[in-house]
Amino acid sequence: MIRIELQVALRYEIDAHGADFIFNIHAAQTDSQKVSGEWLLVSQPVVLQVHTESATGNRRLRLRAGSGLLALRYTATVELTHHRHPPSMLAEVPVCQLPDDVLGYLYPSRYCESDRLGRLAMQEFGHLPQGGERVQAIARWVQQRISFRSRTSTSTTSAVDTLISQVGVCRDFAHLMIALCRALSIPARFTTGTDYGADPGLGPPDFHAYVEVYLGRRWYIFDPSGTSIPMGFVRFGTGRDASDVAFATIFGNVVTHAPVVSGKAVVDPGIGAEQPQHCLETLSTDAP
Amino acid sequence: MIRIELQVALRYEIDAHGADFIFNIHAAQTDSQKVSGEWLLVSQPVVLQVHTESATGNRRLRLRAGSGLLALRYTATVELTHHRHPPSMLAEVPVCQLPDDVLGYLYPSRYCESDRLGRLAMQEFGHLPQGGERVQAIARWVQQRISFRSRTSTSTTSAVDTLISQVGVCRDFAHLMIALCRALSIPARFTTGTDYGADPGLGPPDFHAYVEVYLGRRWYIFDPSGTSIPMGFVRFGTGRDASDVAFATIFGNVVTHAPVVSGKAVVDPGIGAEQPQHCLETLSTDAP
Amino acid sequence: MIRIELQVALRYEIDAHGADFIFNIHAAQTDSQKVSGEWLLVSQPVVLQVHTESATGNRRLRLRAGSGLLALRYTATVELTHHRHPPSMLAEVPVCQLPDDVLGYLYPSRYCESDRLGRLAMQEFGHLPQGGERVQAIARWVQQRISFRSRTSTSTTSAVDTLISQVGVCRDFAHLMIALCRALSIPARFTTGTDYGADPGLGPPDFHAYVEVYLGRRWYIFDPSGTSIPMGFVRFGTGRDASDVAFATIFGNVVTHAPVVSGKAVVDPGIGAEQPQHCLETLSTDAP
Amino acid sequence: MIRIELQVALRYEIDAHGADFIFNIHAAQTDSQKVSGEWLLVSQPVVLQVHTESATGNRRLRLRAGSGLLALRYTATVELTHHRHPPSMLAEVPVCQLPDDVLGYLYPSRYCESDRLGRLAMQEFGHLPQGGERVQAIARWVQQRISFRSRTSTSTTSAVDTLISQVGVCRDFAHLMIALCRALSIPARFTTGTDYGADPGLGPPDFHAYVEVYLGRRWYIFDPSGTSIPMGFVRFGTGRDASDVAFATIFGNVVTHAPVVSGKAVVDPGIGAEQPQHCLETLSTDAP
């Protein structure tokens, strides 16, 4: 079991008209990702609506803030009990056997134009045996081709853009891997969390984006950016792509300060809490 | 009340590997769109799975067909009891009051890049009073700028492409209108049906794509292509854009024959069944 | 007559491999734009090649610099004798009468995708009487729709991108106007100079990009950004778009410092040197 | 020596307004490509202007046709004396040594967005030794990745589109190869001719598009589509990309019939006229 102490602090300055916010910063609650305690502090006395999406466990916080400073602090203790499988044991699921609520993750989305990548995906990966190792090969291909570099992409950058420019951040790696999977009829979705284990040389801890792929009967974690340690990922949200699960979607004129994010592992053999580490198995925090 | 006799006939030739199909050709069932009878004939003895999506009423038919001919014939009798409101009475809903399951229709999607159109939408429509008449103005703007012409777009054409090329088919008109609405934070979705009332000079009856916009507390119908009579539309599916509700999504090597589609109004004063016609009011077949 | 004292100072730091440079910072020499004196200082003892393109008068400086600092200072005194015509007197030239060396400016180029804008250009400008006033209408249309804002575009931004985003800098205004002209079969080219007369509130004097359109028998100046005073423009280069006449095209790893640019009018009634000012006539510094 | 008998027949129907045409169907005249006889028949009694571009040898025919049928028949006897060099003997030319009139072929153009492909080109080809064999590797890479298939691209398809879709016709292969070369600072241009030696199973003889790359001190021929025999190519035009050297650029409303094209080799040992064939050497018909 992995125990993570999570902290997210956000600050905004809002103009005279106020602004609406939709946040995806709550730890999702699934059978394998349990929230044993959490606190949310909001600096304005506003109505907070938290809605849990039953299909995904995403928790969405909505609020309407008035003019001036808005500060949020979210802390949580999260316990992860991973399903672990060797990738060679994970089968791709024939389309005719996919659950109905998985089908939407086969289709192209704003930042994952899988409908344009059919030939390329078949040429690069069509000859590989189906299964978890093929999906690993896709993640590796993306990691080898794309260079990680801050501030090389924007909020409108898509998988096709990244394939051409060969540079981006974690969001771009994830979008490209998702587009390639869907082009092969493998369901894939965009998932957000924190960049547990990232090289401190790359900057302070930050939000992270990675991929979940439907194999066997679950969603399994892949990190095509290769920057972090998946075993330490706490999932916030999962969706078709970044448009679904932005950390904050803002309607109004707002100055945004840099977020402060932290996810620390509590290691305590007494309670079975281990250190997250790289492993050869494929991990899932999803219920079947 | 409107009564429509619907017929859809589809034919495919499938290669030796077989193929998976996901169809969106069943009339949706809502409080305002009742299916009083329906028949589905499939030429191959295959397992049919029909799944109804609770949030939308979409009914999705899945099947795996073997090599050779696959023919489907779907017929239904559908009764429509429209909610009718003058557009001037319909208010846009502030983001903070939108239901949770409507939020997804604010975000950009594959063919509706609303994230790129914020300035343009504000410049063209930002000064208009909010409400149903503003949405009508968007539909009119799209209709005036875009020329309807068959075979001018492809399956990868998006709203931005259409805005530049100024030509397309009903699908393209719908995508552009949706993108402009979302860019103004007005929820909008892509809806499919038949082109009731279309000029026979344009060709035989066909599938149609139009728009539903969330106003007041319902989804209201807008037809930016202006080719048909909305009062006669039977809704098949509704989703973020064409990727969600294609009439047929096919996995495999398949030759597709032209569909035969027909939606005829039964006019019978004795039972209150009227002739669909153009009207000044805005229509909804959605439950609140 | 207008006399401009021009100064351009550029600084680069070059890595150990050295770098090749192609500069377009010399004032072009035409019948109407005479260079009465000029000095070029280069901080490295390198071979300088200056090539004058006969068709355009563009002067291109090429050099290969070694590792370390490279500083250039170019100063020139330039005398402009404008051809001035009321736009209503300038006729568009039928394609069959265009000189051969003008034809290339009818075709689409990297940043001016006129081949995608035929319908839009016809819809917006097709009904206007042909001639200089139609071209003015295009410039005004671009200026009204696009917002000038620094750092909103990149080196790969094209006319179509700008049409969608509705924001950019002078380069983007010029590309969009050029693309629209070419879509109407009006030859148009991208021209560089300094931003004479720009509001100091927008920043220090800078390079500028504007448009020349072939009307009557000459190339006439249009400034769709509306930020500067065309009568004070000294032309450096003219080409199909920004790719042809970048101030500096660099091959190698180089850190670029902000350029220092200045173009000051010498007003001296004794020699007939006037103050550049906005005027209603259309100006040309091109020989027929 | 290769002798080719060339025939081109074109037919158009023009509406009541007449139309302007710019044709690039004359065989270019260079030191290595001599036109020993040619005939041009035009069905309308119109003024014909043929202009030869000195830098390239392109010959451009312009005419204004009236309403009704316009038929052209061009026949020529062309003698090719190729410069032949093993690719391993051909050096890339450092930017600082490139002739001035070659520089324009380093820049991105409408259908060759080399400015977006820098990283990709360096990753794929940056490690190879410079020279003719690297250019061959680029041609081979394009040929391996892209599938030749008729009617898969349109007049607006660019190198980036082709890189993503991995399908196209000769024009698309050429654009992609050119964009990759320029991204590596290797001058490359788009050249048109006939598809000598193409498999008759692919259809009747047709126009062809291929690539010329500046190596050593000449422009050398590369055919990334791999469909034809370069030794039999008669060059019509060469330019930045397809926009410069379309076989016909038309201004007006015109119905275009399929062209009839033929290029037959005359084999006559008596005069030294050989059969064109595939060879390992790189060929040029350009003067140094």
Side-chain angles (χ1 to χ4, degrees):
Chain A
M1 181 264 280
I2 304 292
R3 176 178 289 181
I4 303 284
E5 297 287 353
L6 190 69
Q7 291 207 331
V8 177
L10 304 174
R11 284 164 59 88
Y12 303 94
E13 274 159 67
I14 302 163
D15 81 359
H17 298 91
D20 289 291
F21 291 82
I22 304 175
F23 292 104
N24 276 278
I25 55 167
H26 282 71
Q29 285 175 312
T30 73
D31 280 359
S32 314
Q33 176 174 299
K34 301 229 154 122
V35 180
S36 62
E38 64 180 356
W39 297 264
L40 177 69
L41 296 172
V42 179
S43 67
Q44 293 193 7
V46 294
V47 177
L48 305 179
Q49 297 171 268
V50 180
H51 175 260
T52 302
E53 205 174 76
S54 59
T56 57
N58 289 354
R59 289 190 294 156
R60 188 187 288 124
L61 167 65
R62 296 168 62 185
L63 59 86
R64 174 159 186 80
S67 170
L69 178 74
L70 173 71
L72 276 86
R73 180 174 292 272
Y74 172 76
T75 60
T77 302
V78 181
E79 288 177 8
L80 301 163
T81 314
H82 293 96
H83 300 270
R84 304 167 74 138
H85 293 281
S88 61
M89 304 270 295
L90 295 174
E92 295 178 23
V93 183
V95 166
C96 58
Q97 294 171 25
L98 287 172
D100 282 288
D101 61 1
V102 169
L103 292 179
Y105 300 102
L106 284 178
Y107 301 145
S109 61
R110 172 63 183 95
Y111 304 114
C112 305
E113 307 101 323
S114 49
D115 52 330
R116 295 184 62 189
L117 298 178
R119 276 175 181 278
L120 189 148
M122 281 307 292
Q123 168 150 326
E124 297 289 344
F125 310 108
H127 61 288
L128 299 179
Q130 296 197 359
E133 290 177 322
R134 177 157 87 150
V135 176
Q136 273 193 327
I138 299 171
R140 212 161 39 229
W141 189 94
V142 170
Q143 194 180 327
Q144 283 168 355
R145 265 165 192 68
I146 312 303
S147 302
F148 192 102
R149 195 178 288 189
S150 299
R151 275 178 293 281
T152 49
S153 61
T154 72
S155 64
T156 63
T157 302
S158 74
V160 159
D161 295 328
T162 301
L163 189 56
I164 295 296
S165 71
Q166 304 217 331
V167 66
V169 297
C170 56
R171 171 188 188 280
D172 305 304
F173 285 75
H175 283 152
L176 179 52
M177 178 175 173
I178 292 167
L180 291 168
C181 288
R182 292 182 191 164
L184 296 164
S185 301
I186 306 172
R189 63 192 194 183
F190 184 89
T191 311
T192 57
T194 63
D195 62 348
Y196 185 88
D199 180 350
L202 293 175
D206 201 353
F207 288 119
H208 192 45
Y210 54 97
V211 178
E212 287 183 338
V213 177
Y214 195 81
L215 292 168
R217 300 175 57 171
R218 288 177 206 278
W219 290 98
Y220 284 87
I221 296 171
F222 292 83
D223 182 18
S225 76
T227 54
S228 305
I229 299 176
M231 202 183 285
F233 291 174
V234 171
R235 183 169 106 197
F236 296 138
T238 195
R240 291 223 193 157
D241 62 25
S243 65
D244 273 357
V245 289
F247 303 108
T249 305
I250 303 172
F251 303 83
N253 285 315
V254 169
V255 175
T256 300
H257 293 269
V260 179
V261 175
S262 146
K264 290 193 180 136
V266 177
V267 179
D268 182 346
I271 59 166
E274 298 165 45
Q275 178 78 36
Q277 51 193 308
H278 283 292
C279 71
L280 294 175
E281 293 168 306
T282 312
L283 304 175
S284 172
T285 58
D286 184 61
Chain B
M1 182 263 281
I2 304 293
R3 175 178 289 180
I4 303 284
E5 297 288 354
L6 190 70
Q7 291 207 331
V8 177
L10 305 174
R11 283 165 60 90
Y12 302 94
E13 273 159 69
I14 302 164
D15 80 1
H17 298 92
D20 290 291
F21 290 82
I22 304 175
F23 292 103
N24 275 277
I25 54 166
H26 282 72
Q29 288 174 310
T30 72
D31 280 0
S32 316
Q33 176 173 301
K34 301 228 154 123
V35 179
S36 60
E38 63 180 354
W39 297 263
L40 176 68
L41 298 172
V42 179
S43 67
Q44 292 193 8
V46 293
V47 177
L48 305 179
Q49 296 172 268
V50 180
H51 176 260
T52 302
E53 206 174 76
S54 60
T56 56
N58 290 353
R59 289 190 294 157
R60 188 188 288 125
L61 166 67
R62 296 168 62 184
L63 59 86
R64 174 158 186 81
S67 171
L69 177 74
L70 174 71
L72 276 86
R73 179 174 292 272
Y74 173 76
T75 59
T77 302
V78 181
E79 287 177 9
L80 301 163
T81 314
H82 292 96
H83 300 270
R84 304 167 73 139
H85 293 281
S88 60
M89 304 270 296
L90 295 174
E92 294 179 23
V93 183
V95 166
C96 59
Q97 294 172 25
L98 288 171
D100 281 287
D101 62 0
V102 168
L103 292 179
Y105 300 102
L106 284 178
Y107 301 145
S109 62
R110 172 63 184 96
Y111 304 113
C112 305
E113 308 101 323
S114 48
D115 53 330
R116 295 185 64 187
L117 297 179
R119 277 175 180 277
L120 189 147
M122 281 306 293
Q123 168 150 326
E124 297 288 344
F125 310 108
H127 61 287
L128 299 179
Q130 296 196 359
E133 290 177 323
R134 177 157 88 150
V135 176
Q136 273 192 327
I138 298 171
R140 212 160 40 229
W141 189 94
V142 170
Q143 195 180 327
Q144 283 168 354
R145 263 163 194 69
I146 311 304
S147 301
F148 192 101
R149 196 178 287 191
S150 298
R151 274 178 295 279
T152 49
S153 62
T154 72
S155 65
T156 63
T157 301
S158 74
V160 159
D161 295 328
T162 302
L163 190 55
I164 294 297
S165 71
Q166 304 218 330
V167 66
V169 297
C170 57
R171 173 188 188 279
D172 306 303
F173 284 76
H175 283 154
L176 179 52
M177 179 175 172
I178 291 167
L180 291 168
C181 289
R182 292 182 191 163
L184 296 164
S185 300
I186 305 172
R189 63 191 195 184
F190 185 90
T191 311
T192 57
T194 61
D195 62 349
Y196 184 88
D199 179 351
L202 294 176
D206 201 352
F207 288 120
H208 191 45
Y210 53 97
V211 178
E212 287 183 337
V213 177
Y214 195 81
L215 291 168
R217 302 175 57 170
R218 290 178 204 275
W219 291 98
Y220 284 88
I221 296 171
F222 292 83
D223 182 18
S225 76
T227 53
S228 305
I229 299 176
M231 201 182 285
F233 291 173
V234 171
R235 183 169 106 197
F236 296 137
T238 195
R240 291 225 194 154
D241 61 25
S243 65
D244 273 357
V245 288
F247 303 108
T249 306
I250 303 171
F251 304 83
N253 286 315
V254 170
V255 174
T256 300
H257 293 269
V260 179
V261 175
S262 144
K264 291 194 179 134
V266 177
V267 181
D268 181 346
I271 60 165
E274 299 166 43
Q275 177 78 37
Q277 51 193 306
H278 283 293
C279 69
L280 295 174
E281 292 169 306
T282 313
L283 304 176
S284 172
T285 56
D286 184 60
Chain C
M1 183 263 280
I2 305 292
R3 176 177 289 179
I4 303 283
E5 296 288 353
L6 190 69
Q7 291 207 331
V8 176
L10 304 174
R11 284 165 61 88
Y12 302 94
E13 274 159 69
I14 301 163
D15 79 2
H17 298 91
D20 290 292
F21 291 81
I22 303 174
F23 292 103
N24 276 277
I25 55 167
H26 282 71
Q29 288 174 311
T30 73
D31 280 359
S32 315
Q33 175 173 300
K34 301 228 154 122
V35 179
S36 60
E38 65 180 353
W39 297 262
L40 177 67
L41 297 172
V42 178
S43 68
Q44 293 193 8
V46 294
V47 177
L48 304 179
Q49 298 170 266
V50 179
H51 176 260
T52 302
E53 205 174 77
S54 60
T56 57
N58 289 353
R59 288 191 293 156
R60 190 188 285 125
L61 167 66
R62 296 167 63 184
L63 59 86
R64 173 158 187 80
S67 171
L69 177 74
L70 174 72
L72 276 86
R73 179 175 293 273
Y74 173 75
T75 60
T77 302
V78 181
E79 287 177 10
L80 302 163
T81 313
H82 292 97
H83 299 271
R84 304 166 74 137
H85 292 280
S88 60
M89 304 269 295
L90 296 173
E92 295 179 22
V93 184
V95 166
C96 58
Q97 295 171 23
L98 288 172
D100 282 288
D101 62 0
V102 169
L103 292 179
Y105 300 102
L106 284 178
Y107 301 145
S109 62
R110 172 63 183 94
Y111 303 115
C112 305
E113 307 100 324
S114 48
D115 53 329
R116 294 185 63 189
L117 297 179
R119 277 175 180 277
L120 188 147
M122 281 306 292
Q123 168 149 326
E124 297 288 343
F125 309 108
H127 61 288
L128 298 179
Q130 294 197 1
E133 290 178 323
R134 177 156 87 151
V135 176
Q136 274 193 326
I138 298 171
R140 212 160 39 230
W141 190 94
V142 170
Q143 194 180 327
Q144 282 167 357
R145 264 163 192 70
I146 312 303
S147 302
F148 191 101
R149 194 178 288 191
S150 298
R151 274 179 293 279
T152 48
S153 61
T154 73
S155 64
T156 62
T157 301
S158 74
V160 159
D161 295 330
T162 302
L163 190 56
I164 295 297
S165 72
Q166 305 217 330
V167 67
V169 297
C170 56
R171 172 189 188 281
D172 306 304
F173 285 75
H175 283 152
L176 179 52
M177 179 174 172
I178 292 167
L180 291 169
C181 288
R182 292 183 191 162
L184 296 165
S185 301
I186 305 172
R189 62 191 196 184
F190 185 89
T191 311
T192 57
T194 62
D195 62 349
Y196 185 88
D199 180 351
L202 294 175
D206 202 353
F207 288 120
H208 191 46
Y210 54 98
V211 177
E212 287 183 337
V213 176
Y214 194 81
L215 292 169
R217 301 174 57 171
R218 288 177 206 277
W219 290 99
Y220 284 87
I221 297 171
F222 292 83
D223 182 18
S225 76
T227 54
S228 306
I229 299 176
M231 202 183 286
F233 291 174
V234 171
R235 183 169 105 196
F236 295 138
T238 195
R240 290 223 194 156
D241 62 24
S243 65
D244 273 356
V245 288
F247 303 107
T249 306
I250 303 172
F251 303 84
N253 285 316
V254 170
V255 175
T256 300
H257 292 269
V260 178
V261 175
S262 148
K264 290 193 180 135
V266 176
V267 180
D268 182 344
I271 58 166
E274 299 165 44
Q275 177 78 37
Q277 51 194 306
H278 283 292
C279 70
L280 295 175
E281 292 168 306
T282 312
L283 304 176
S284 172
T285 57
D286 184 58
Chain D
M1 182 263 281
I2 305 292
R3 176 177 289 180
I4 302 284
E5 297 288 352
L6 190 69
Q7 291 206 330
V8 177
L10 305 174
R11 284 164 60 88
Y12 303 94
E13 274 159 67
I14 302 164
D15 79 1
H17 298 91
D20 291 292
F21 291 81
I22 303 174
F23 292 104
N24 275 277
I25 54 167
H26 282 72
Q29 287 173 312
T30 73
D31 280 359
S32 315
Q33 175 173 300
K34 301 228 156 124
V35 179
S36 60
E38 64 181 354
W39 297 264
L40 176 69
L41 297 173
V42 178
S43 66
Q44 292 193 7
V46 294
V47 177
L48 305 179
Q49 297 171 267
V50 180
H51 176 260
T52 302
E53 206 175 76
S54 59
T56 57
N58 289 353
R59 289 192 293 157
R60 189 188 286 125
L61 167 66
R62 296 166 65 184
L63 60 86
R64 173 157 186 83
S67 171
L69 176 74
L70 174 72
L72 275 85
R73 179 174 294 271
Y74 173 75
T75 60
T77 302
V78 181
E79 287 178 9
L80 301 163
T81 314
H82 292 97
H83 300 270
R84 304 167 74 139
H85 293 279
S88 61
M89 304 271 294
L90 295 174
E92 296 180 22
V93 183
V95 167
C96 58
Q97 294 171 23
L98 288 172
D100 282 287
D101 62 0
V102 169
L103 292 179
Y105 300 102
L106 284 177
Y107 302 145
S109 61
R110 171 65 183 94
Y111 304 114
C112 306
E113 309 100 323
S114 48
D115 53 329
R116 295 184 63 188
L117 298 179
R119 277 175 180 277
L120 188 147
M122 281 306 293
Q123 169 149 326
E124 298 288 344
F125 310 108
H127 61 287
L128 299 179
Q130 296 197 359
E133 290 178 323
R134 178 158 85 150
V135 176
Q136 274 193 325
I138 298 171
R140 212 161 40 230
W141 189 94
V142 170
Q143 195 180 328
Q144 284 168 355
R145 264 162 193 71
I146 312 303
S147 301
F148 192 101
R149 194 178 289 191
S150 298
R151 275 179 294 280
T152 50
S153 61
T154 72
S155 63
T156 63
T157 302
S158 75
V160 159
D161 295 330
T162 302
L163 190 55
I164 295 296
S165 71
Q166 304 216 331
V167 67
V169 297
C170 56
R171 172 189 189 279
D172 306 304
F173 284 75
H175 283 153
L176 179 52
M177 179 174 172
I178 292 167
L180 291 168
C181 288
R182 293 184 191 163
L184 295 165
S185 301
I186 305 172
R189 62 191 195 184
F190 184 90
T191 311
T192 57
T194 61
D195 62 348
Y196 185 88
D199 179 351
L202 295 175
D206 200 353
F207 288 119
H208 191 46
Y210 54 98
V211 178
E212 287 182 338
V213 177
Y214 194 81
L215 292 168
R217 300 174 60 168
R218 288 178 206 276
W219 290 98
Y220 284 87
I221 297 171
F222 292 83
D223 182 17
S225 75
T227 54
S228 305
I229 298 176
M231 201 182 287
F233 291 174
V234 172
R235 183 170 105 195
F236 295 138
T238 194
R240 292 226 193 152
D241 62 24
S243 64
D244 273 357
V245 288
F247 303 108
T249 306
I250 302 172
F251 303 83
N253 285 316
V254 169
V255 175
T256 300
H257 293 269
V260 179
V261 175
S262 145
K264 291 192 179 134
V266 177
V267 180
D268 181 346
I271 59 166
E274 298 165 44
Q275 177 79 35
Q277 51 194 308
H278 283 292
C279 70
L280 295 175
E281 293 169 305
T282 312
L283 304 176
S284 172
T285 57
D286 185 59

